[in-house]
């Protein structure tokens, strides 16, 4: 499969690009209510200006890739709220436009259309388990319509992210195959395996012969798990690596609060970069201040984000 020539892929061949951080935590910091099954995707309909403002905060922090608010945006999820398919398609396209507006006229800021896993639509935590009881073909049918809607808005890259299961990764790669848009494939992991328990070597190898995949790696995981995964991703595929872990805190569902210490450290980015990581950022609970530290370290040698 031949990949289209794309500026971001060319950039990754020679330098590191800073990703944004967690969208939900920045929206919460702005005072947004993220309760409900649609999570941050609800704001695509109810408060799109808040999403644009969150993206803008990350641009100001030094992020050069903005991940859209479409992670949990699905036809099924919005249908439960009473929205039809065309209305949902428009919200998916809007997610790309909002990030593009936040980027402004800056040609060095790219937009990644987020495609979250099937389990995100269920809103029951199964996105961190995988093994939904669906075939690869069934998962491909689920993902393809929203991928096509997002593609219509012209993102620079697809972020196939927080993927818990190699079977779902296969379905996602099939679904994006006809879009002509580059992708990165990013698993959610625990230890040396996907959340569904598959060895990372086998999971990453799905991308090895696919030139549409410009980077492979992990996100939404403990920073300590990222260390091992980055090395495995690079060794298995030979591709640039994408890595954007969580803060290190854990969610206490009973107390509805975050517990534990923050272990995300921008200094770790140097180690990841040494292992061929070329897209580096943060996920849940990693906000603009941390991304500013990361941008300072990775892009300006300590002189501050550009």
């Amino acid at each position: 499969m031949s990949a289209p020539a794309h500026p971001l892929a060319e950039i990754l061949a020679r330098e590191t690009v800073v990703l944004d951080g967690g969208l939900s935590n920045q929206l919460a910091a702005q005072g947004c209510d993220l309760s409900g099954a649609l999570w941050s995707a609800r704001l695509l309909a109810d408060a799109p200006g808040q999403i644009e403002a969150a993206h803008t905060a990350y641009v100001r922090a030094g992020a050069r890739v903005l991940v859209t608010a479409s992670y949990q945006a699905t036809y099924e999820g919005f249908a439960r709220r009473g929205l039809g398919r065309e209305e949902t398609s428009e919200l998916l396209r809007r997610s790309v436009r909002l990030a593009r507006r936040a980027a402004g006229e800056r040609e060095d800021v790219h937009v990644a259309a987020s495609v979250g896993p099937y389990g995100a639509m269920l809103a029951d935590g199964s996105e961190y388990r995988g093994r939904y009881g669906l075939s690869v073909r069934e998962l491909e049918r689920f993902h393809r319509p929203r991928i096509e809607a997002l593609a219509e808005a012209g993102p620079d890259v697809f972020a196939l992210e927080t993927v818990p299961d190699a079977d779902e990764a296969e379905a996602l790669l099939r679904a994006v195959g006809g879009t002509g848009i580059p992708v990165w494939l990013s698993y959610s992991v625990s230890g040396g395996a996907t959340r569904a328990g598959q060895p990372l070597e086998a999971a990453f190898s799905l991308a090895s012969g696919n030139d549409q995949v410009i980077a492979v790696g992990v996100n939404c995981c403990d920073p300590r798990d990222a260390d091992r995964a980055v090395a495995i991703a690079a060794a298995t595929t030979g591709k640039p690596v994408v890595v954007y872990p969580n803060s290190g805190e854990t969610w206490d569902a009973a107390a509805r609060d975050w517990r534990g210490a923050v272990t995300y450290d921008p200094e770790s980015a140097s180690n990841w970069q040494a292992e061929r990581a070329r897209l580096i950022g943060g996920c849940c609970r990693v906000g603009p201040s941390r991304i500013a530290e990361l941008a300072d370290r990775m892009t300006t040698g300590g002189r501050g984000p550009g």
Side-chain angles (χ1 to χ4, degrees):
M1 184 183 299
S2 297
H6 189 274
L8 185 56
E10 296 173 2
I11 290 168
L12 297 184
R14 62 179 188 271
E15 63 186 76
T16 303
V17 177
V18 178
L19 303 179
D20 60 10
L23 185 62
S24 62
N25 47 265
Q26 178 56 24
L27 289 168
Q30 293 170 194
C32 298
D33 177 9
L34 302 182
S35 61
L38 287 171
W39 199 35
S40 57
R42 177 183 63 80
L43 301 182
L44 289 170
D46 295 349
Q50 292 281 10
I51 292 175
E52 184 177 349
H55 288 316
T56 299
Y58 281 114
V59 175
R60 290 172 177 164
R64 296 298 171 257
V65 178
L66 301 175
V67 181
T68 65
S70 50
Y71 172 83
Q72 205 146 336
T74 64
Y75 291 95
E76 294 79 359
F78 278 115
R80 291 194 289 268
R81 187 184 157 151
L83 274 66
R85 292 190 70 81
E86 183 48 43
E87 292 173 292
T88 298
S89 293
E90 174 56 23
L91 292 179
L92 287 162
R93 294 188 290 264
R94 178 181 292 173
S95 72
V96 177
R97 292 197 300 268
L98 290 170
R100 191 73 73 192
R101 282 211 296 264
E105 300 299 318
R106 296 192 59 152
E107 295 184 358
D108 63 338
V109 178
H110 307 275
V111 173
S114 172
V115 183
Y118 175 84
M121 180 270 295
L122 301 177
D124 63 357
S126 60
E127 65 197 281
Y128 297 110
R129 298 189 297 270
R131 307 281 84 181
Y132 314 115
L134 300 177
S135 67
V136 171
R137 186 180 297 275
E138 288 170 323
L139 288 168
E140 180 186 357
R141 282 200 298 266
F142 167 79
H143 286 296
R144 185 179 294 279
R146 64 186 182 133
I147 284 171
E148 291 174 346
L150 288 165
E152 290 171 0
D156 297 306
V157 62
F158 276 118
L160 311 180
E161 59 177 355
T162 325
V163 181
D165 191 324
D167 286 351
E168 186 159 27
E170 182 180 350
L172 284 162
L173 291 173
R174 289 184 186 181
V176 298
T179 64
I181 296 172
V183 306
W184 79 60
L185 173 63
S186 180
Y187 288 96
S188 176
V189 302
S190 180
T194 67
R195 295 280 188 165
Q198 297 124 338
L200 290 184
E201 291 86 351
F204 290 137
S205 68
L206 290 174
S208 294
N210 188 334
D211 291 337
Q212 189 177 6
V213 180
I214 63 172
V216 62
V218 295
N219 77 290
C220 207
C221 61
D222 189 292
R224 291 164 294 191
D225 287 337
D227 294 340
R228 182 195 305 183
V230 167
I232 295 173
T236 301
T237 69
K239 293 179 180 288
V241 176
V242 56
V243 53
Y244 49 120
N246 294 334
S247 68
E249 299 161 277
T250 57
W251 175 251
D252 185 330
R256 297 197 60 77
D257 197 7
W258 291 90
R259 306 294 190 190
V262 172
T263 59
Y264 183 96
D265 184 353
E267 290 191 14
S268 298
S270 298
N271 296 329
W272 298 334
Q273 190 178 33
E275 294 286 356
R276 198 172 161 76
R278 295 295 179 265
L279 286 163
I280 303 177
C283 202
C284 298
R285 304 278 286 179
V286 178
S289 63
R290 287 289 188 179
I291 296 303
E293 292 179 51
L294 178 66
D296 181 41
R297 177 170 297 277
M298 302 307 298
T299 66
T300 64
R303 295 188 301 275

